[in-house]
Structure formats: structure tokens, C-alpha cells
Amino acid sequence: MVNFTLYDETTAPTSTQPTLAKIRETYGMIPNLYGYLAESPIALNAYIHINEQLMKHSSLTPVQVQVALLAISTVNNCEFCIAAHSWVGSTLNAREQTVKAIREGGQIENNQDKALVQLVQAIVKDRGYVADEIIQQFYDAGFSKENLMDLLVCNMLKSLSNYANHITKTEINAEFAAFSR
């Protein structure tokens, strides 16, 4: 079994120490995913940059981004990200029913959330070969082609984090524990 090091701002390679220090300063903690990604400045900085772009500049709202990231993480069975995005979603006032349905595989009541989750999960499950009907339902719910492209970026981000968490066997931070399944 290969063991990975969970770094913090004092133990990380010198190239990622400042980034982890900034994360702790910003959030008051370092999510364990970041501690493992610190092994590679490219991986850590790519994750941070793409996440910031999605949250600040996406055509999707921050809540919709979190719903998408949670839905992707559920398909990929990434328990760390399920807990983390449930926590972030709650801080952004995501619909409780939507978050619960995604986490439990239930029916989503809100039509727009349902269309978003159905599309993003189809993108993952079908490796991008999504049925036209699912894409049309997404558009019929009020979404655009730009929104669809932003969902592909969400998938790219979750490929990095979900797979990194599987490989490193990332433990859920205490701050996210109440949101684990």
C-alpha cells in the first residue's frame, strides 16, 4: 500500500507552503484534500484556480456550482467531496431538499436543480455522450450552452479532486464530519 503525506503549511514542500498558509488564513483550516494535493504545486494550484474561477466567474451561480460538484462527487462515490460540498452548499443556502436528494439518490423537487443534476451526472456516467433529451431538458429549465460548458469545467475539477481523494484515501476533516454520509 502506498502512503501519502498529509501536509500543512509547515511540512509541505517549499513550493506549496505559501499556498497552504494562505488557505489556512482564509478558511481557518486546511481541507485535507489540499494537504494531499500539496505534493504537487501544479495539482494544488490547478484545483484552487479552477475552483475560484467557477465560484467567482461561472455563468452558474455559486449554489449551482456546489450542487453540480456534489452531484458529480456522488456519482464518483467520493465521500470527502460529498461532505465538503454539502458543507459549502449549506453555507450558501442551497436547497436542503436538493442536497439531501443528491446525497441519498432521491428525487429532486426543484425543476432547475433536477435538470442540472440530471445533466451533470449523465456527463459523468456516459463520459460526455449525453442523450439529446437530457440536454434539451437542461435548456428547457432555463440554462444555456455557456452553463453546459461550465458544467464540463465542474467535471474537470471533480476528476482531479475525486480521483486524488480515492488514491490518497483522504480523511474527512472534522469541520465537514457532520455532513458525511
Side-chain angles (χ1 to χ4, degrees), residues 41 57 121 132 135 166:
H57 304 293
Q121 289 186 334
D132 289 343
I135 295 171
H166 292 322

Side-chain angles (χ1 to χ4, degrees), residues 10-138:
T10 64
T11 62
T14 56
S15 59
T16 55
Q17 285 180 359
T19 304
L20 290 181
K22 183 178 178 188
I23 291 167
R24 184 178 301 281
E25 181 181 315
T26 302
Y27 301 110
M29 50 87 81
I30 298 172
N32 288 340
L33 167 65
Y34 290 33
Y36 286 117
L37 289 178
E39 193 72 51
S40 163
I42 292 172
L44 180 60
N45 291 320
Y47 185 85
I48 291 167
H49 179 73
I50 295 166
N51 190 55
E52 286 177 355
Q53 290 297 305
L54 283 168
M55 293 302 289
K56 293 178 180 177
H57 304 293
S58 176
S59 63
L60 300 165
T61 68
V63 169
Q64 290 168 334
V65 168
Q66 290 303 313
V67 166
L69 297 176
L70 174 61
I72 295 164
S73 297
T74 302
V75 172
N76 288 332
N77 200 29
C78 181
E79 295 301 326
F80 178 88
C81 286
I82 290 168
H85 294 296
S86 297
W87 176 77
V88 175
S90 75
T91 67
L92 297 174
N93 297 313
R95 287 180 190 84
E96 230 176 277
Q97 192 280 327
T98 296
V99 171
K100 183 177 180 185
I102 294 168
R103 290 166 52 86
E104 297 175 1
Q107 289 295 320
I108 298 171
E109 295 171 1
N110 179 276
N111 286 334
Q112 199 170 45
D113 289 351
K114 182 178 181 178
L116 184 149
V117 169
Q118 185 176 9
L119 176 58
V120 80
Q121 289 186 334
I123 289 168
V124 176
K125 290 176 185 175
D126 300 331
R127 297 185 178 123
Y129 294 100
V130 180
D132 289 343
E133 305 83 57
I134 294 173
I135 295 171
Q136 190 59 54
Q137 288 171 358
F138 181 73

